[in-house]
Amino acid sequence: MHSLLSQEDLAFKAHCEAFASQTLAPLAKKLGDINDVPQELRTCLAESGLYGPLFPEAYGGTGLSAVRICLAREAIAGVYAPADTTLAMQGLGGYPIVLAGNEDQKKKYLPKLAAGQRLTTFCLTEPEAGSDVSAIQTRAVADGDHFVINGRKRFISNGFSADMGVVFVKTPTAEKPNALSAFIIEKGMPGWNVDWRIELMASHDIVEFEFNNLRVPKENLLGPVGGGFKLAMQTLDLMRMSVGAAALGMARTAMERSIQYARKRVQFGQQISKFQGVSFKLAEMAVDIEAAQCLVYLAAIKKDRSDPAASLSSSIAKLHATEAAFRCIDQAIQVHGGMGVVKGAVVERLYREIRPLRVYEGTTEIQKLIIANHLIKQPK
C-alpha cells in the first residue's frame, strides 16, 4: 500500500519511525505508565513535527493530511500509547476549529495547537450519552454576551492535562429539541471542574468533567447554533481511520516481538518458530496486518482526495484494523506463553492498550451500523 504514497509522504513516514525509535522509545522507558501528559512528553511531541499534518499551513501546520496523520499514529502507537493519545486528541480537539472556526478563532488557537504550546481535548461523551449522541444532556443557555453551560462529560481523554477543549452541548429549540452546538472552552474558566479521574486498564489520562454555570463568551461558539452534530461527525470521520492506524502500529509491534521470541525460544530441542502451530500464528498476523494497512491507507487517501466514499472507508478501516490488531496481539501472547502474561512485557502492555481502541470513536458495533447504513442508502 505504501507504494501508492508520494515521496514526501514516505519521507514523513521515515521521520516518524526515526522519532519513535530514537526519541520516543527512550522517553517511554523513562516515564512508564502515566495518567497525565508530563512536560517532557509535551515538549517531545511539540518538537517532533508530528502535529503538522493536523493543521493548515496558514496556521502553523504543514497542511491537513489524513495519510500523514495515520503514518504518525502507526509509528508511535506501538511504542508509547500516551504519546499516541496526545496526538489523537490534538486532532480531535483541533479539527473542529479548522472546520468551523472563524478567522479570529483560527488565529487565536490553531498556531499554538500546531506548535504544541497548548493541548486540547474533545468533549462529547456523557454518562448517559455514549454511542447515542442524541442523548446528550449538557446544555447551553444564552445569557447576554455569554452562554451558560451546565452538565457532565465522561471518558474525556487528556482531560486532566488539556489546556482547552471543544465541548458539544444541547441547545434545544422548539423546531430542533436535540440540536447540538460546539464551543471552545479553556481551563481556568470558572465552572469547568475536573470532577474525577478515571483509572483504565491501560495507562491513560481520562476524566469526568462537571460544568457548573460555566460562562462561555459568545465568540467561542464554533459555527452556527445547532451545527454541533454535523461538526462532531465530520471530526470523527477524519480521525476514525487513524484509530485503525494506531491499532496497526500496535499489531506490527506485537508481530515483530513474536518473531523475535519465536526465533530464540527453544522447546523440545528446537526453536518454537519451527513448529507449525507457532508459524501459522505468525502468518495469520502478517495477513491481518497487511489487510489492515491497505484499508487504513485507502481510507486516508480517499479523505485527502475528498472522495465521497471516505466516510464509509473510514469506518471499514477502523472496524477491521482494531479487530485484526486485537487478534494479532492475543496470538502474540500465546506465542510468548507464560512470558506473555508477565506484567511489564511488551505484548502484555499491548493487550491492555489495544482493547479500548475497539470502543473509542465508535464501537465495533457502531461501525457495523454505519457501514450497513451506507450500503443501504447506495443507489440501486
Side-chain angles (χ1 to χ4, degrees):
M1 194 64 203
H2 287 155
S3 63
L4 299 180
L5 303 184
S6 69
Q7 290 302 309
E8 292 79 11
D9 289 335
L10 293 174
F12 181 75
K13 175 179 182 290
H15 168 75
C16 293
E17 291 171 349
F19 165 76
S21 62
Q22 298 170 19
T23 304
L24 187 59
L27 182 61
K29 187 174 182 180
K30 177 182 177 181
L31 294 178
D33 287 345
I34 53 175
N35 292 314
D36 59 3
V37 186
Q39 187 59 49
E40 282 183 278
L41 182 55
R42 290 177 69 129
T43 300
C44 176
L45 287 170
E47 295 175 348
S48 70
L50 269 60
Y51 291 148
L54 297 167
F55 302 101
E57 290 185 60
Y59 304 100
T62 56
L64 277 165
S65 170
V67 166
R68 295 188 189 182
I69 294 169
C70 289
L71 288 171
R73 294 196 67 180
E74 180 184 353
I76 68 175
V79 175
Y80 200 40
D84 173 65
T85 299
T86 302
L87 176 65
M89 297 316 300
Q90 207 75 338
L92 284 165
Y95 193 54
I97 303 175
V98 173
L99 283 176
N102 58 41
E103 192 62 21
D104 287 341
Q105 291 169 333
K106 290 178 179 179
K107 287 181 177 178
K108 181 177 180 179
Y109 295 106
L110 294 185
K112 291 182 179 180
L113 294 177
Q117 295 171 2
R118 306 188 81 183
L119 296 184
T120 187
T121 189
F122 184 78
C123 310
L124 184 67
T125 302
E126 297 186 359
E128 302 303 326
S131 298
D132 182 8
V133 176
S134 68
I136 281 177
Q137 296 301 309
T138 300
R139 294 190 174 216
V141 177
D143 182 22
D145 293 333
H146 290 74
F147 282 87
V148 179
I149 298 176
N150 283 281
R152 305 185 76 83
K153 294 291 178 180
R154 179 180 287 178
F155 297 129
I156 307 303
S157 293
N158 273 22
F160 182 79
S161 301
D163 306 296
M164 56 177 287
V166 172
V167 64
F168 297 86
V169 300
K170 190 165 285 186
T171 49
T173 64
E175 297 78 19
K176 296 182 178 180
N178 289 321
L180 299 179
S181 297
F183 294 88
I184 302 169
I185 56 177
E186 300 185 48
K187 285 280 180 70
M189 287 180 169
W192 182 6
N193 306 309
V194 177
D195 199 32
W196 57 288
R197 301 179 71 172
I198 303 168
E199 186 173 352
L200 299 187
M201 62 195 297
S203 176
H204 201 102
D205 173 357
I206 193 162
V207 303
E208 181 165 329
F209 289 142
E210 178 190 38
F211 300 117
N212 184 9
N213 291 325
L214 172 65
R215 295 182 65 82
V216 180
K218 283 191 173 180
E219 58 260 32
N220 284 32
L221 173 68
L222 269 178
V225 173
F229 180 81
K230 180 180 179 181
L231 185 57
M233 296 305 106
Q234 288 176 315
T235 301
L236 291 173
D237 266 352
L238 171 69
M239 297 303 296
R240 186 171 280 142
M241 69 192 71
S242 77
V243 180
L248 176 59
M250 292 180 183
R252 199 180 298 282
T253 297
M255 183 177 72
E256 290 169 355
R257 291 290 179 140
S258 296
I259 293 170
Q260 293 170 9
Y261 186 80
R263 283 172 174 166
K264 72 178 183 179
R265 176 65 168 167
V266 174
Q267 290 288 277
F268 304 101
Q270 63 180 357
Q271 297 170 340
I272 65 171
S273 61
K274 294 182 180 179
F275 290 104
Q276 188 179 78
V278 172
S279 64
F280 276 16
K281 292 183 189 303
L282 299 176
E284 289 165 1
M285 289 182 204
V287 172
D288 267 337
I289 288 170
E290 186 77 11
Q293 176 182 301
C294 290
L295 290 171
V296 165
Y297 287 99
L298 175 63
I301 289 169
K302 286 183 177 181
K303 184 65 178 178
D304 285 343
R305 293 179 178 177
S306 300
D307 189 319
S311 179
L312 170 60
S313 293
S314 185
S315 285
I316 291 173
K318 197 270 185 182
L319 186 155
H320 177 80
T322 54
E323 292 294 327
F326 184 78
R327 290 194 297 271
C328 288
I329 295 168
D330 184 58
Q331 292 287 44
I333 287 182
Q334 205 69 13
V335 170
H336 281 74
M339 294 305 298
V341 294
V342 173
K343 182 74 172 178
V346 171
V347 291
E348 180 272 337
R349 169 180 61 80
L350 290 170
Y351 190 81
R352 288 183 287 110
E353 290 172 347
I354 189 59
R355 187 59 185 86
L357 267 62
R358 298 165 67 200
V359 175
Y360 294 159
E361 296 183 42
T363 63
T364 292
E365 291 71 25
I366 289 295
Q367 302 314 313
K368 290 178 180 179
L369 286 174
I370 293 171
I371 293 165
N373 285 337
H374 275 284
L375 297 176
I376 291 167
K377 291 177 180 178
Q378 285 180 351
K380 295 181 180 179

